Amino acid sequence: MIHDVTGVSRIRMLYVQLMYRCNFACQHCFHGELLKAPDRYTPSQVAEMLRYFRTHYDLQAVTFLGGEPLLYPAITSVCRDAASHGIGVEICTNGHYGFRSRLRALVPYVSKLRVSVEGLAATNDHIRRPGSFRSATQTLSLARQLGIRVGVTMTVTALNVEEVVPLAQRLEVLGVTELKLHCLRPVGNALRHPELMVADEAQYERLHEALAAAGLTIEIRYDADLAPHPSSAACTEPGGQPIEELERIEVDPRGALTMSCKAVGRHAHAFRWDSSARTIRYEPHDGDEIHQQIPDVVYRPA
């Protein structure tokens, strides 16, 4: 169905929000009130979804997220199933150290663990929860000891934009291979915290200058919206030509499929995964990401 509408025939990675439930309620979380919602996929529904995307779109990898994916009771079995079908498995977690026993069980199946960190200790703990920075760094160290490749994701805000470089330097010591920087979207909990929004885009330019001058060995990848480079339109190459391959597509616990992370949390999806019928439905509306031409988000090296 996605191919029929957009021309996309390959999707490299599927981001699966297994459930909304989380043990955190971060100030910038795009889920907002949905963190209280009970919706979740069953392991068999996850397996059917991955099988469909593998068959129809040559799926190569999956990232499990939430909510908090390490709270998902069957996280080990869904990772095992994905890996058994040759699908690379990543997990994006808040890195609470209380999940260490689950992390150990995942070693044979997970190719990469991505932990969310929002700056140095005081700033991170203010945005996320007290003690979360220490917990996240403990989890990163444990994952490295277990032989799991580790990366960090960070949402750049007015409170932490000056801490990107010192955080990257700290992460290098921990053996983190990648720091992925996201642009804050004004959805969910972020709507209640306008102080997080970066009002002066010149701060992004200063950020890139600081990154270039820092001599970092860690790989920095950033959401192109953080820089003065235009993003391509949704499902098109520059010049308006349809693209054949998407880097990623994301599905939430209610089935909403979004191609651009700018559309996540905005009810702007044009496609929906129907777990009962085990297929994709096309449900266009005037506010969907295709009609609005919401740009895809390309991640670039710093």
Side-chain angles (χ1 to χ4, degrees):
M1 178 57 70
I2 294 174
H3 176 266
D4 295 340
V5 176
T6 67
V8 169
S9 58
R10 296 186 302 277
I11 297 171
R12 191 189 74 83
M13 177 175 282
L14 179 65
Y15 281 46
V16 180
Q17 298 173 20
L18 291 168
M19 60 182 186
Y20 289 119
R21 183 184 167 210
C22 189
N23 54 326
F24 285 20
C26 302
Q27 292 182 5
H28 63 301
C29 180
F30 63 87
H31 284 313
E33 291 299 314
L34 283 174
L35 290 172
K36 303 172 184 176
D39 307 73
R40 68 173 62 193
Y41 288 111
T42 66
S44 61
Q45 288 172 334
V46 175
E48 289 289 350
M49 190 189 310
L50 294 182
R51 187 175 299 115
Y52 179 94
F53 279 91
R54 183 77 161 159
T55 300
H56 295 276
Y57 292 97
D58 192 27
L59 186 73
Q60 300 298 306
V62 60
T63 292
F64 291 121
L65 62 164
E68 172 50 54
L70 295 183
L71 281 176
Y72 184 72
I75 186 63
T76 302
S77 66
V78 297
C79 290
R80 182 192 303 118
D81 178 74
S84 72
H85 290 91
I87 298 172
V89 179
E90 297 186 12
I91 289 180
C92 186
T93 173
N94 60 38
H96 193 280
Y97 196 58
F99 297 131
R100 58 191 179 277
S101 61
R102 288 200 168 181
L103 184 59
R104 289 189 177 97
L106 291 169
V107 171
Y109 318 116
V110 174
S111 57
K112 189 173 187 179
L113 187 79
R114 291 195 283 121
V115 176
S116 296
V117 180
E118 309 306 336
L120 299 175
T123 302
N124 174 85
D125 289 4
H126 172 73
I127 294 173
R128 300 184 72 77
R129 60 179 275 183
S132 59
F133 183 85
R134 181 171 181 268
S135 193
T137 54
Q138 288 176 323
T139 294
L140 288 165
S141 295
L142 175 60
R144 284 276 294 157
Q145 292 168 18
L146 295 172
I148 302 174
R149 198 158 50 100
V150 289
V152 164
T153 63
M154 176 182 182
T155 300
V156 177
T157 70
L159 299 186
N160 65 21
V161 64
E162 302 295 335
E163 296 184 6
V164 174
V165 170
L167 176 64
Q169 292 167 334
R170 174 74 180 272
L171 295 176
E172 286 181 331
V173 176
L174 294 173
V176 176
T177 60
E178 178 189 80
L179 174 59
K180 198 170 186 180
L181 305 177
H182 298 280
C183 185
L184 179 65
R185 316 289 180 204
V187 294
N189 286 349
L191 290 173
R192 297 197 294 272
H193 294 280
E195 73 277 7
L196 296 179
M197 299 302 299
V198 176
D200 181 8
E201 293 197 3
Q203 288 186 281
Y204 295 148
E205 297 176 20
R206 291 194 291 273
L207 168 62
H208 287 283
E209 291 171 358
L211 286 170
L216 299 167
T217 58
I218 187 173
E219 180 182 9
I220 307 290
R221 297 190 65 81
Y222 62 88
D223 176 338
D225 283 6
L226 298 179
H229 306 295
S231 297
S232 60
C235 288
T236 62
E237 296 281 14
Q241 295 300 313
I243 64 172
E244 294 185 358
E245 181 171 0
L246 282 179
E247 167 63 20
R248 43 80 70 199
I249 194 167
E250 187 160 345
V251 61
D252 74 15
R254 297 179 178 178
L257 279 163
T258 48
M259 295 173 287
S260 171
C261 63
K262 283 187 175 183
V264 173
R266 290 178 50 182
H267 308 292
H269 57 283
F271 300 98
R272 180 175 61 86
W273 172 254
D274 186 333
S275 290
S276 299
R278 303 173 185 175
T279 193
I280 295 171
R281 303 290 189 193
Y282 179 43
E283 300 174 348
H285 56 93
D286 289 345
D288 72 44
E289 60 183 332
I290 297 175
H291 280 83
Q292 292 189 61
Q293 284 292 289
I294 295 175
D296 192 9
V297 174
V298 179
Y299 283 86
R300 307 169 187 266

